[in-house]
Amino acid sequence: MQGAYSLSHFAPARGGGIRGTASSSLFGGNSFFTSEIRKDARRNRLRCDLLSFLETAQYNGVDLLAITWQSALDILGAGATAEVRQSLVNLQMSFAFKRPISRYRSVEDDTLYGWLIRECTILCHPVVRQHRNLLDLEGVCWDPSMSDKFLRPVLVFKRAEYGDSHKFMTSGEGQAMSLTDRMSFAIDVIDAVIALHNADIIHGDIKPQNILVFKDENGMPLPRVSDFGYSSLVLQHDGSVALPMSKPWNAPEVLHHVHTWSLEEAKGADAYSMGLVCLWWLFDDKLASQQGAQDADIFFSEHGIALVQDWKKDGQIAELATRMIDMEANMDKRDQSFWRSFFEATFLQNGLKRCQDIITCLGNLRTSRVVDAAPCVDEITGDPIQDASVRPPRDFKITLHFLQLLLSHYRLRQHIKECLVERTYHDPDIEVRQNAAFQLAICYSVGFGCSRNEMEAEKWLKVSESPTSELSSAIFFLRDEQDTVYENKAIVALVRNGNFQSLEYGLEYRQEPSLHKVEEEYKREIHDLSAALGPDHVGVLNLRMILAGIMMDQGRFPEAEQAVRQTLDMYTARLGPGHQETLRCTNVLATILEENDRFDESKSLHKIVLEQRVRLLGPNHLDTLESARQLSTVLQSLGEYDEAGAMATRDYEGRLVVLGEKHPAVYESMANVASITQDMGHLNDSVWWNERALEGRTKVLGREHPQTLTSMSNLASVLQELGDYEGAEPLFLEDLELSRRTLGEEHQDTITALSNLGLLYMDMERYDESEQITRDALTMGEKVQGHDHSATLIGRNNLALVLERTERYEEAEELLREVLHSRERLFEPGNLLIATSMYNLAQNYAHQGRLEEAMRLHDEALQIRKTKLGEKHPFTLESMAEVGHIMRVWHRFPEAEDLLRTVLRSRVEALDYDHSDTHDALGELICVLHDQGKSEEVAEELGRFAEAQGAEEESDEEIVQ
């Protein structure tokens, strides 16, 4: 073996490193992933599957994360075998997801898992984990979007703030880098590749796109070598490696995929690619002009790539590098000496000599740059780390990662169980078969991935030849597990700070063929695990909350409420009322009550949670701020706008301090402030907030992100209310188009976007288009969500509204009756949603001249709203105004006047004189006063109104000045 060469910087290591000694080569060969060890022994290798991958993850301490890869996330990059997409979590930590690209998703499991295991193994190698310029693995999540019934792993990384080095170097910040900074940047990457080679790891595809650029602790650009999809960990020096050919970055000897290379030859090919990348970083802006090339970026244009390929054929590239160094006035003699030696070594035509000469070159590097170098050593023994075992023990254990597995997609657990059965029948190693049988005994004992069955558990325990006491110990271990524990310190910090958001399970399962089957499986798991581990086991409680989330997404709030209340009682008894999990469960219950229009109850719970979180976590913890935001929305629904605005502002300012301006949660807070100001009638202010939120989300998340589409729709809604239909229409159209493209025709957000467009066309008096679009939205909603889903009932209301605009009151009445009957069937008497349906149907009766029927429903709705919301709530005042209007029509003027004065006084207090609702109330009162001949009182009301408006205008002018 060639002597090790070292010039490495190492960050503090993370737990879970590879253990053991090397004894075999890699996971076998195939024609799909071209960089793997090819040996005669591959014919006898073991097949790779989900269990093999999970064993690798368990052995290396890789967390299984309950987060979702989403197609709407912005693409960071796409290599030959995988695509990488990014998702913000917070400014300090966000995720990039890597999964196989579409054309490779149908390959055999053996091939797919072979690649995943190989990359996971290399990413978890101590050298990769400890080197600051190598990108290591943060965890694994699961892609449910495959067409088959099983999930596939997705690798999770930190997000690169600057993207890849090609994107960075061609950006303003990259272009502004001095030559000194570029040299330091390049040396960081050289150092990283050397560290890989010292561990006998071949990268195989070094190019600017595979070097990501992060911000370091001082905000400076930090390169990190990534994308180990073509990499190999060579454990025996008679092994051979296949390399890809990424023009123009490939070594001249790497002309096609089919050839294989020795370890030293492969290192030489890596070195050549590294030399080309460094040449581009240092001199790209001058290479084109020096060579008279037409393309400014010669390494990336078609003509330029052909030119570079020609330079490599006869060694011109080394002469070119020397000329560029000699011409560089900003490079001192020491740096010139190093880079001249470096490029001479890396661009040698002889690949083997290339590797030998780079060792000599490294001595010059030590003198040209102050380096705090240290070899990679084992944290326990202190011995240098060079080799690592590529195959962990084949002993998958359910007891490891148990709670993480329970938080994952339910199909993952079913897949694990099926793989265990397959292994017990077909694996050639008897110990492996016995371990699989023992894990199956655990599965059947607790109901993991299958129905709980004691007879099956006993059968598999006998097959495993393990004593009953061992199974009892495993069950006791599971029963004793208290909380989900993560190995990754960055993930732990996210959880602790409230930044880590788990799956939105309702959204996750929308695309499943049968939501009923999903729900039944969760009910089965809850029943079985409760019997085996206890009804208050943390895993059971997590499953209960997941099931409630699925019910909530279907609009089944009464059922969800019952499930959450039961779970909350168990959390309180087990953990206490002030525990964070108890508070999260309380928050969910408050949200359900809000969705059921039980705002007072929701408000009380949100206040309790907020007070507890302020006391336990502090005022600026993200969980505390989230409580403030949620409380503001309930206060908004209650019409308590001043307090709602104060809470929303508190949330916004806190997130701004904690997360910084360019964070999605800050834009969510902006959208919340915009919504409250819209309800208060400050429409121009609302436009300003919505425009800021939309601009920020577009820049940070991309135009197609669901949150960006929400901001788009929100802004359009305010413009519609202002009467700016020409401004609103293109936004609604874009929202609909992008929702269809990114989420699909049948997604609820797409249906909502379609419905919004239909209501806009109604206001624009384009009634035919409005009716057709609204009918399409309703049909789709009934198909996707069902006849009685809350969103479907809103869609039916919308269609009735459009029909009423065209005076087709009888057709509208039929729809409104359906909605009222559905809500009376779904909710208890006195529910606010029932009152809303009564109000809508009463308005329809009034249009038809059926005032007695209208009065009966309006009065009933008014009593419910008074009881639930109070006399000054906007909905109560709305009902009061309609009752007053009918009394006026019936010439019951004194009663009408009393009601309408109450309405006007309350709206002035809540909304001031400038709000459109206040204008309406004043108009109604003026009419009833006029009907009674009270001209003096009419003049008084109009004078009071004019005086108040003048005072408001003067105040606004002072603010502007």
Side-chain angles (χ1 to χ4, degrees), residues 462-495:
K462 287 181 180 178
V463 173
S464 74
E465 298 184 7
S466 300
T468 303
S469 60
E470 190 172 343
L471 178 60
S472 299
S473 296
I475 304 304
F476 180 82
F477 179 87
L478 296 180
R479 189 177 294 128
D480 199 46
E481 203 162 3
Q482 298 294 320
D483 200 2
T484 307
V485 177
Y486 294 100
E487 296 278 348
N488 189 316
K489 293 178 181 177
I491 302 298
V492 172
L494 286 177
V495 173

Side-chain angles (χ1 to χ4, degrees), residues 402-403 406 445-446 452 474-480 527-540 574:
F402 178 67
L403 291 180
L406 286 185
S445 294
V446 302
R452 187 166 179 260
I475 304 304
F476 180 82
F477 179 87
L478 296 180
R479 189 177 294 128
D480 199 46
H527 176 271
D528 287 353
L529 285 166
S530 295
L533 306 179
D536 63 345
H537 186 272
V538 65
V540 175
R574 181 184 177 95

